[in-house]
Amino acid sequence: MFDVGLLKTCLVAVTTLFFIWLVRKIYKMILKFHYFNQLPGEPSFSWLYGNLHKLPKTGEGRLAYGYWLLTNINSKFVRFWLGPFQPNITVFHPDTVKLILKSSAPKARGLGGVYQFALPWIGDGLIVSNGATWARARRLLTPAFHFDILKNYVSVYNTAADTLVGKLDKLAESGESFDLCPPMTLCTLEIILKCAMSYDADVQRIGHHPYIKATRELAISWFERNRKPWLWPDFIFKLTTLGKKFLKNCDYVHQVAEEIINKRRDQLVRERIQALKNKEGLPSKSHLDFLDILLSARDEDGKPMTDLEIRNEVDTFMFAGHDTTATAAPWIVYCLAKNPEYQTKVQDEIDSVLEGRDSDCILWSDISKLHFLALCIKEAMRLYPPVPFIQRRLNEDVTIEGHKIPAGNIVNVAIVHLHRNPAVWDQPHDFIPERFLTSNLKDQDSFSFTPFSAGSRNCIGQNFALNEEKVLIARLFRRYRFEIPPDAPPSNRVAQTILKSEHGLWFRIKKR
């Protein structure tokens, strides 16, 4: 017979165990709250939103709020509650930044980790991968950015610049104001496709590419989901309009990446077949580009990268390889247009390097001669770092300014605030390229300036990006004088995945 008494006993036991578990869980959460709440941070607190209700609605407002925290609460780090029990630590001083970037802490994934929500887009690529996956990819891809390979790309930069200035010439003649961001984005996308993928889509002459719109919407969706905890669960996000658009754009960029990969793979096969027919041996290029290395990479045991691994890296580098430079270059132009005395110095230097030549092309040997331009690029990237924030999840306890932050917690590195921290930089909001002269950096901590991150996980493509920026910026200022129109929209910053300008960056140009 059915024993009712035994059933009641079991229910009481299960209920009691659940109650004990729940009490212990709440007790731990309260202890956690009290521990983290003693750290310097926003004093206002909501048991529903944590500190999220304090964030302004505009991008520039949120950045101003972060700057207020570092200047009024603590100059090295702060605590911010993402919810009632989700603390978030943000560092923005060399003393605290180096603790994180020099550690082995992985990119933050899982609950509260910003990189978790990029996985459907760029997969386990170099930006978001961790541990052995990241180490393997970094080892296999490093040859793609060797000095000897980078030299070959200068001609691609110049060819793309030729097309860009051809388009800008019409704007110089008309005298109309224009936003530099869209044409620069087309230019840098064309460059990354040609340099890294041996793929010529001629996007500048066509004047548009749906890939740019898709990646822009993906970045916005990623950013919006990160700052709205109620969208963190996948099953909820997928039901929203934002989630549906995100997944649709993921499918599209994957399709583009696979088309590029398959076209290059088929081309390599045809080249090998033709070479065998001609009894010439396997074909050889003057250099292996990024995609060639992906397709030919092998582990020590001869194991190649899978199709998914190759696509993840192509998705990663197509996005990061064009969008960061497409954003950084207009900010550099903006700084020089806003400071015409420095624009003149840059132009004098470029004129001196190119003196006596029939062509405005920048040669590989010219790049190292553009000393003052290099200073201006660094100072512009200090004020407007392409990647404003990076995030790590601690894999071991870290003591920050006397406070132990247990393993498992998330720490944000606010590069955008580090670079303007008044405890680190004199006149932090002013454009002063001379601050990067070697003589002025002797007492400056190397972790004061990290536009490409730092430590073992620094940007693998930083030399590629810097060379590209120097060539493009030199070509623009060799040909034009830039000024900011008096009726230009405000250059309000928006700190998404990349530091964008909310209304674009508008200029008026005259041929020199």
Side-chain angles (χ1 to χ4, degrees):
M1 290 185 61
F2 187 73
D3 193 332
V4 176
L6 179 60
L7 177 61
K8 287 182 177 179
T9 301
C10 290
L11 288 173
V12 169
V14 169
T15 303
T16 302
L17 289 173
F18 174 76
F19 181 75
I20 293 171
W21 173 84
L22 183 61
V23 169
R24 291 181 64 184
K25 188 76 172 177
I26 293 173
Y27 179 68
K28 287 182 178 179
M29 291 172 72
I30 292 173
L31 286 179
K32 181 178 181 180
F33 171 77
H34 282 294
Y35 178 78
F36 279 97
N37 209 45
Q38 67 174 321
L39 274 58
E42 165 62 54
S44 176
F45 180 78
S46 164
W47 286 103
L48 180 61
Y49 300 111
N51 299 140
L52 284 172
H53 66 296
K54 297 294 292 185
L55 285 176
K57 292 183 179 180
T58 65
E60 191 66 51
R62 287 189 291 270
L63 288 172
Y65 172 73
Y67 190 77
W68 179 87
L69 288 174
L70 82 88
T71 52
N72 290 273
I73 303 297
N74 191 286
S75 66
K76 294 191 175 182
F77 83 106
V78 293
R79 175 266 307 136
F80 185 88
W81 291 102
L82 292 177
F85 300 106
Q86 185 64 41
N88 201 292
I89 308 301
T90 299
V91 295
F92 32 60
H93 188 282
D95 293 347
T96 50
V97 166
K98 71 174 63 175
L99 292 173
I100 307 306
L101 297 187
K102 291 177 72 173
S103 75
S104 59
K107 290 291 185 78
R109 289 165 53 170
L111 182 64
V114 300
Y115 302 103
Q116 179 69 26
F117 304 133
L119 290 175
W121 173 12
I122 56 180
D124 220 5
L126 202 60
I127 289 178
V128 301
S129 59
N130 288 315
T133 301
W134 170 82
R136 174 178 180 256
R138 180 83 180 205
R139 184 181 69 255
L140 293 176
L141 295 178
T142 295
F145 299 93
H146 188 274
F147 172 86
D148 290 334
I149 290 180
L150 295 181
K151 288 167 53 176
N152 295 286
Y153 296 147
V154 175
S155 62
V156 179
Y157 303 157
N158 279 290
T159 300
D162 288 339
T163 305
L164 178 61
V165 298
K167 297 172 71 174
L168 297 187
D169 275 351
K170 298 176 183 177
L171 296 170
E173 291 168 5
S174 69
E176 64 188 281
S177 301
F178 67 97
D179 177 10
L180 181 58
C181 297
M184 186 61 74
T185 301
L186 288 169
C187 180
T188 58
L189 178 61
E190 185 170 279
I191 286 172
I192 196 65
L193 287 172
K194 287 184 178 180
C195 290
M197 316 292 174
S198 295
Y199 188 87
D200 188 357
D202 205 18
V203 294
Q204 286 197 88
R205 296 190 188 281
I206 294 171
H208 67 88
H209 197 291
Y211 177 85
I212 292 174
K213 180 175 181 289
T215 55
R216 182 172 64 248
E217 292 178 350
L218 283 167
I220 292 171
S221 300
W222 181 12
F223 169 73
E224 288 298 319
R225 189 181 184 189
N226 281 326
R227 58 188 291 266
K228 296 177 179 178
W230 55 91
L231 294 179
W232 290 359
D234 285 342
F235 75 94
I236 293 177
F237 182 66
K238 290 177 180 179
L239 294 174
T240 65
T241 301
L242 188 71
K244 292 175 181 177
K245 180 184 287 188
F246 178 81
L247 294 174
K248 181 180 179 180
N249 282 324
C250 284
D251 290 340
Y252 172 72
V253 297
H254 292 164
Q255 177 186 336
V256 172
E258 287 167 359
E259 176 189 340
I260 290 171
I261 294 165
N262 291 334
K263 184 175 180 180
R264 182 64 187 144
R265 187 177 269 144
D266 292 344
Q267 184 179 351
L268 290 173
V269 170
R270 288 195 301 271
E271 288 175 356
R272 289 189 178 99
I273 292 173
Q274 187 61 44
L276 290 172
K277 286 181 178 179
N278 297 337
K279 299 180 181 180
E280 296 173 349
L282 293 178
S284 61
K285 292 174 63 179
S286 60
H287 67 277
L288 293 177
D289 62 28
F290 173 78
L291 183 52
D292 290 335
I293 287 175
L294 283 175
L295 293 171
S296 62
R298 297 291 185 274
D299 284 327
E300 292 83 352
D301 59 1
K303 182 180 179 182
M305 299 181 78
T306 67
D307 288 347
L308 180 58
E309 287 172 336
I310 292 172
R311 194 192 74 187
N312 288 342
E313 299 301 348
V314 169
D315 281 327
T316 295
F317 278 85
M318 278 185 64
F319 164 62
H322 94 273
D323 206 26
T324 50
T325 309
T327 302
W331 281 121
I332 296 165
V333 174
Y334 172 79
C335 289
L336 291 170
K338 198 175 179 182
N339 297 271
E341 70 279 15
Y342 287 117
Q343 181 175 174
T344 299
K345 289 184 178 181
V346 164
Q347 290 172 326
D348 288 345
E349 180 181 67
I350 297 167
D351 292 346
S352 176
V353 170
L354 298 181
E355 186 176 5
R357 297 190 194 170
D358 296 330
S359 170
D360 286 346
C361 286
I362 305 297
L363 306 178
W364 172 258
S365 58
D366 295 333
I367 292 176
S368 61
K369 300 173 185 176
L370 298 170
H371 304 292
F372 192 73
L373 174 59
L375 297 181
C376 291
I377 288 175
K378 287 181 179 179
E379 178 67 344
M381 294 181 80
R382 181 188 69 82
L383 290 169
Y384 303 99
V387 179
F389 296 93
I390 54 179
Q391 198 180 77
R392 299 284 190 270
R393 187 181 296 278
L394 300 181
N395 56 357
E396 58 185 10
D397 297 349
V398 172
T399 299
I400 299 179
E401 295 297 296
H403 301 276
K404 186 179 82 169
I405 311 300
N409 281 285
I410 289 174
V411 177
N412 287 311
V413 178
I415 298 172
V416 69
H417 296 318
L418 165 70
H419 285 184
R420 294 193 186 213
N421 191 331
V424 180
W425 301 95
D426 293 330
Q427 299 174 261
H429 303 297
D430 295 339
F431 183 76
I432 309 173
E434 293 87 352
R435 72 171 88 237
F436 282 98
L437 288 169
T438 303
S439 57
N440 292 332
L441 290 175
K442 59 181 184 298
D443 297 323
Q444 195 81 15
D445 192 303
S446 61
F447 282 83
S448 299
F449 179 65
T450 60
F452 296 103
S453 188
S456 61
R457 295 205 63 156
N458 64 350
C459 175
I460 193 174
Q462 60 182 291
N463 289 325
F464 176 93
L466 284 171
N467 291 340
E468 180 183 5
E469 287 169 4
K470 288 175 183 176
V471 172
L472 293 179
I473 299 300
R475 291 293 305 275
L476 290 179
F477 283 100
R478 169 68 166 175
R479 193 171 185 86
Y480 309 110
R481 184 80 184 174
F482 281 79
E483 63 179 36
I484 298 173
D487 59 345
S491 55
N492 294 338
R493 297 167 297 166
V494 180
Q496 300 173 359
T497 311
I498 310 295
L499 188 68
K500 300 284 189 178
S501 175
E502 183 178 4
H503 305 293
L505 290 168
W506 290 74
F507 303 97
R508 190 175 292 146
I509 56 176
K510 295 178 181 178
K511 279 189 180 181
R512 296 177 65 207

